Amino acid sequence: MAKYLVDGMTCGGCAASVERAIKELAPNSTVSVDLAAKEITVGGVDDDAVIQQAVENAGFEYKGQV
C-alpha cells in the first residue's frame, strides 16, 4: 500500500472519480480516499506513473507519494 497526495478533491463525487480512474488502469487495485487529508491509499499497483496518470485523467492534481 502506498499513499499519494491529490489536490482538488472536495467531495464524495471527486473521491469516486479518482477511485474509478485508478480501477480503469489497474483493475485489481484497492483504493481508499481521505478527503480531509487530500490523500489516496492504493494497493496492488507498483508503478507510481499509473497512479499519476489515473489522477490526472480524473481531472485532479497529482502531488506525489507521501
Side-chain angles (χ1 to χ4, degrees), residues 16-60:
S17 294
V18 170
E19 288 182 43
R20 188 170 37 256
I22 292 170
K23 290 284 190 180
E24 285 177 6
L25 294 180
N28 296 321
S29 63
T30 59
V31 182
S32 89
V33 178
D34 181 342
L35 287 173
K38 298 182 180 182
E39 291 179 354
I40 58 173
T41 303
V42 182
V45 180
D46 294 330
D47 188 354
D48 290 352
V50 170
I51 303 303
Q52 180 175 0
Q53 181 179 357
V55 167
E56 291 173 353
N57 286 352
F60 300 97

Side-chain angles (χ1 to χ4, degrees), residues 9-12 15 23 25 27 32 45 48 54 61-62 65:
M9 297 186 304
T10 59
C11 65
K23 290 284 190 180
L25 294 180
S32 89
V45 180
D48 290 352
E61 187 176 353
Y62 174 83
Q65 194 167 350

